[in-house]
C-alpha cells in the first residue's frame, strides 16, 4: 500500500533495501552544535543507522534504521534524545541527490540567478463554491478534508474587496476598494521592503504566478521535502501529484503578492519571499522537514518564517512519549536557532475549535498510517502542536470579516499571540480570503493558515521600518500595536483567550 501511494504521489523517493523496512529518526546530541551533530552521527552509525543529513547548527542528525534503533541509541554518552519521526515504515532512506544537503546553497551572490526551468503545471481544480477550509490545505498536516481536486478557483479579483487587508487598520483611498496599506505616513519605502526576506515554509510556491514572479527569491528558495535542503532550480515549486499542493502559493500571495491592479495584493507587496517546500511525496510535514526548512530560512537571512501547518504524524506531541518528546525538542531547537538569527517565527493556531490550554481529544493521529483507523487520544495541555505552541513562536488565531473569532479557530489564554483575518469557509468568496493559486489562478480559502500569513506580512513591514531590530522586538511591536487598538473585555478583540494581544494592525 505504501509503494502504491508513493507511485500515485508522483515519485518513488526511497532506496529499496533488501527486504527491510525503515523508519526515520532524529538523534539529538547534548551539545547543540557541530560537535554535537558529529557525536550524534557516530552513535547513530554505531547502532546500525544510515545518516542521511546532519544539522550542525543544532547538534542533530536524521538517520534511517530498522526497529529497535531508538532503544539502542537512547542513553548513549552525549545523546540527549532520539525519536522516530514517522510511524509507517518506508523501503529505505531517501535517494541520493546531487547538491542536496547543503545549507549554504544559494547564499553566494556570484552564483547567479537560479530561476528558470520548466513552468509548473497547473494544479487541478473542480467545480464548487470556491471556498475550502484551511484544514483542506490550510493549517495542514493530517488535518485535511480534501485535496486540490476539491478546491475551486475564482475569477481574477482585480485587487477589489480586500476585506482582509482593510481589517488590518488601513482605510481605502477614495474610489479604491483596496486599502493603500503601504502608501500612508510612516510606511516603509519600496527599496526598504525589498531588502526584507520572509520564508514561506509550506507545500511549495508557484513562482511563475504573475503575482509572485518578482517576489520569490530563487537564491533563497529550496525544498526540504525529505529533511535535506535541495536547492535545485524549481525544487521549491508545488508537486501537483500531491494533494493540497496549492496551499503554499495561496499563503505566499497573502504575504507578498505584487500590487499591480491585477489579482491580489499581499500585506507586504515588494517583500522578497524564500519559498521552502516542506510537503513530502506522501503529503506529510515530518519533523525533519520542518527542522530543515527552519534552518535553511534562518541561514539565508529570513526576518519572518511562516508556518501554516502542524507537524505530522502527531497532531499533539506529548512529553511522556519518548518519540514525541524528541520531536518537540528537535523542532524547538530549530525555532530557537531561527529566532537567534533574527527571524520572527509565525505559526497558525489550528482549525479544530479547541482550547489549547485545556484537555482535548486528538482523533487524527498518527496520520501517516497506511491502514486502520487513527487512535483516539485524550491529551492534556502539556501536549503541544508543533511548531505553534513552542516558546517564542507567534501563534495566530483567525477572525472573520466582522472581526469575530472564526468558528473553527483554536484558542487558549497564554497559548495564542495574535488574531488576524482567516475568514469564513461557509461565507462564499466574499467571506473567505482570496489569494493566488498555482497556474496563474486564484482561490478563496479560510483558516488559521491565512491568518498566520497576514502576521508574517506585517512582520516584514515592521522589519523594513526597523531593520536593526531583533525578532523579540519586532514581535513585541505587533503585540503592542494590536493591544493598543483593542478594548479590554470578553467577546471583543481584547479578549486574550481568542485574540491573544489583540487583532493585528499594520505597523507604521
Amino acid at each position: 500500500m505504501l509503494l502504491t501511494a508513493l507511485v500515485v504521489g508522483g515519485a518513488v523517493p526511497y532506496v529499496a533495501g533488501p527486504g527491510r523496512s525503515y523508519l526515520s529518526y532524529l538523534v539529538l546530541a547534548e551539545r547543540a552544535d557541530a560537535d554535537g551533530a558529529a557525536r550524534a552521527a557516530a552513535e547513530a552509525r554505531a547502532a546500525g543507522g544510515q545518516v542521511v543529513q546532519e544539522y550542525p547548527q543544532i547538534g542533530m542528525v536524521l538517520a534511517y534504521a530498522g526497529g529497535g534503533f531508538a532503544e539502542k541509541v537512547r542513553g548513549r554518552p552525549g545523546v540527549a534524545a532520539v525519536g522516530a519521526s514517522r510511524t509507517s515504515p518506508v523501503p529505505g532512506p531517501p535517494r541520493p541527490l546531487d547538491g542536496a544537503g547543503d545549507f549554504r546553497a544559494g547564499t553566494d551572490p556570484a552564483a547567479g540567478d537560479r530561476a528558470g526551468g520548466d513552468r509548473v503545471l497547473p494544479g487541478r481544480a473542480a467545480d464548487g463554491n470556491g471556498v475550502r477550509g484551511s484544514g483542506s490545505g490550510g493549517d495542514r498536516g493530517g488535518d485535511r478534508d480534501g485535496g486540490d481536486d476539491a478546491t475551486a478557483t475564482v475569477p481574477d479579483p482585480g485587487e477589489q474587496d480586500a476585506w482582509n487587508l482593510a481589517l488590518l487598520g488601513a482605510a481605502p483611498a477614495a474610489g479604491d476598494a483596496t486599502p493603500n496599506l503601504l502608501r500612508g505616513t510612516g510606511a516603509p519605502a519600496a527599496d526598504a521592503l525589498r531588502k526584507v526576506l520572509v520564508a514561506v515554509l509550506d507545500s511549495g510556491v508557484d513562482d511563475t504566478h504573475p503575482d509572485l514572479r518578482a517576489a520569490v527569491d530563487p537564491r533563497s528558495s529550496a525544498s526540504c521535502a525529505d529533511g535535506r535542503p535541495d536547492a535545485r532550480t524549481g525544487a521549491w515549486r508545488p508537486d501537483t501529484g500531491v494533494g493540497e499542493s496549492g496551499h503554499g502559493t495561496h499563503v505566499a500571495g497573502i504575504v507578498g503578492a505584487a500590487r499591480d491592479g491585477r489579482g491580489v495584493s499581499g500585506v507586504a507587496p515588494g517583500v522578497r519571499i524564500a519559498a521552502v517546500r516542506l510537503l513530502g511525496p506522501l503529503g506529510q510535514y515530518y519533523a525533519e522537514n520542518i527542522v530543515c526548512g527552519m534552518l535553511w530560512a534562518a541561514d539565508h537571512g529570513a526576518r519572518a518564517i511562516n508556518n501554516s501547518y502542524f507537524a505530522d504524524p502527531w497532531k499533539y506531541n506529548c512529553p511522556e512519549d519518548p518519540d514525541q518528546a524528541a520531536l518537540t525538542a528537535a523542532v524547538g531547537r530549530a525555532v530557537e536557532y531561527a529566532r537567534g538569527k533574527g527571524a520572527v517565527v509565525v505559526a497558525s493556531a489550528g482549525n479544530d475549535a479547541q482550547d489549547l490550554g485545556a484537555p482535548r481529544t486528538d482523533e487524527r493521529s498518527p496520520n501517516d498510517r497506511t491502514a486502520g483507523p487513527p487512535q483516539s487520544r485524550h491529551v492534556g495541555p502539556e501536549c503541544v502542536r508543533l511548531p505553534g505552541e513552542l516558546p517564542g513562536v507567534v501563534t495566530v488565531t483567525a477572525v472573520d470579516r466582522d472581526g469575530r473569532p472564526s468558528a473553527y479557530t483554536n484558542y487558549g489564554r497564554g497559548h495564542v499571540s495574535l488574531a488576524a483575518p482567516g475568514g469564513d469557509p461557509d461565507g462564499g468568496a466574499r467571506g473567505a480570503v482570496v489569494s493566488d493559486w498555482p497556474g496563474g489562478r486564484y482561490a478563496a480559502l479560510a483558516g488559521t493558515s491565512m491568518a498566520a500569513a497576514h502576521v508574517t506580512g506585517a512582520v516584514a513591514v515592521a522589519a523594513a521600518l526597523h531593520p536593526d531590530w531583533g525578532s523579540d522586538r519586532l514581535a513585541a511591536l505587533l503585540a503592542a500595536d494590536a493591544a493598543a487598538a483593542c478594548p479590554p473585555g470578553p467577546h471583543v478583540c481584547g479578549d486574550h483567550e481568542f485574540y491573544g494581544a489583540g487583532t493585528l494592525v499594520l505597523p507604521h
Side-chain angles (χ1 to χ4, degrees):
M1 291 179 65
L2 179 62
L3 287 173
T4 300
L6 287 167
V7 172
V8 170
V12 182
Y14 301 103
V15 177
R20 299 181 60 189
S21 60
Y22 295 76
L23 291 176
S24 51
Y25 295 88
L26 292 176
V27 183
L28 289 73
E30 292 176 352
R31 294 187 54 165
D33 56 17
D35 289 341
R39 183 58 176 267
E43 294 295 346
R45 293 188 181 102
Q50 297 185 43
V51 176
V52 301
Q53 181 64 48
E54 295 190 13
Y55 307 103
Q57 303 95 322
I58 57 173
M60 189 173 75
V61 301
L62 168 64
Y64 278 71
F69 172 82
E71 290 74 13
K72 294 177 184 177
V73 182
R74 286 185 187 128
R76 294 290 300 165
V79 174
V82 183
S85 62
R86 65 180 72 212
T87 66
S88 292
V90 294
R95 295 182 180 277
L97 295 173
D98 290 339
D102 182 6
F103 282 100
R104 299 168 299 173
T107 57
D108 181 6
D113 194 335
R114 294 184 292 111
D118 295 333
R119 183 180 179 88
V120 68
L121 295 175
R124 296 166 293 177
D127 291 336
N129 62 9
V131 181
R132 298 296 299 176
S134 171
S136 68
D139 173 55
R140 276 218 7 56
D143 190 17
R144 52 187 178 266
D145 58 6
D148 283 2
D149 284 335
T151 303
T153 55
V154 299
D156 184 335
E159 294 185 356
Q160 299 298 302
D161 191 29
W163 68 267
N164 53 308
L165 301 186
L167 202 60
L168 302 188
D176 184 0
T178 301
N180 286 306
L181 292 177
L182 297 179
R183 296 177 188 168
T185 302
D191 59 343
L193 198 55
R194 189 62 188 167
K195 294 176 182 177
V196 176
L197 178 73
V198 300
V200 174
L201 275 55
D202 214 289
S203 62
V205 176
D206 177 7
D207 58 339
T208 71
H209 195 292
D211 277 348
L212 296 170
R213 283 173 183 155
V216 174
D217 179 2
R219 292 194 189 95
S220 303
S221 300
S223 170
C224 280
D226 60 11
R228 302 173 297 173
D230 176 7
R232 293 176 301 168
T233 298
W236 56 82
R237 293 173 184 155
D239 180 351
T240 56
V242 181
E244 302 175 14
S245 61
H247 176 264
T249 303
H250 194 277
V251 167
I254 295 171
V255 173
R259 171 179 282 281
D260 56 10
R262 300 186 300 270
V264 299
S265 175
V267 175
V271 73
R272 288 163 44 239
I273 294 176
V276 184
R277 181 164 72 91
L278 302 189
L279 185 64
L282 294 179
Q284 303 293 332
Y285 290 75
Y286 287 119
E288 60 264 27
N289 303 16
I290 301 169
V291 167
C292 170
M294 202 76 67
L295 300 183
W296 174 275
D299 283 348
H300 285 73
R303 301 305 314 277
I305 302 176
N306 191 88
N307 304 270
S308 291
Y309 58 85
F310 65 86
D312 296 307
W314 305 98
K315 179 180 283 286
Y316 299 105
N317 290 266
C318 299
E320 65 270 17
D321 182 287
D323 288 320
Q324 295 169 38
L327 302 184
T328 300
V331 179
R333 284 192 184 186
V335 166
E336 281 304 301
Y337 179 82
R339 293 181 64 236
K341 298 277 280 188
V344 178
V345 179
V346 181
S348 53
N351 304 325
D352 297 293
Q354 292 182 330
D355 182 352
L356 298 175
R360 53 202 180 277
T361 302
D362 174 10
E363 297 181 344
R364 303 173 188 260
S365 303
N367 58 23
D368 66 341
R369 64 196 181 280
T370 56
Q375 300 175 13
S376 180
R377 305 188 300 162
H378 295 284
V379 300
E382 74 280 1
C383 301
V384 298
R385 291 169 48 90
L386 298 177
E389 288 191 86
L390 290 171
V393 174
V394 177
T395 305
V396 188
T397 64
V399 296
D400 62 18
R401 187 175 184 131
D402 297 322
R404 297 189 296 260
S406 300
Y408 53 77
T409 189
N410 286 349
Y411 57 94
R413 182 181 293 268
H415 290 258
V416 299
S417 308
L418 289 169
D424 177 4
D426 298 320
R430 292 190 72 253
V433 179
V434 177
S435 185
D436 301 322
W437 199 249
R441 297 175 295 170
Y442 305 90
L445 302 180
T448 57
S449 285
M450 289 69 244
H454 287 84
V455 173
T456 296
V459 173
V461 174
L465 292 169
H466 308 286
D468 297 329
W469 286 15
S471 57
D472 288 345
R473 198 172 180 185
L474 291 173
L477 173 64
L478 265 60
D481 286 352
C486 288
H491 312 301
V492 295
C493 64
D495 184 343
H496 298 307
E497 186 175 27
F498 285 95
Y499 294 87
T503 301
L504 176 72
V505 295
L506 200 69
H508 291 289

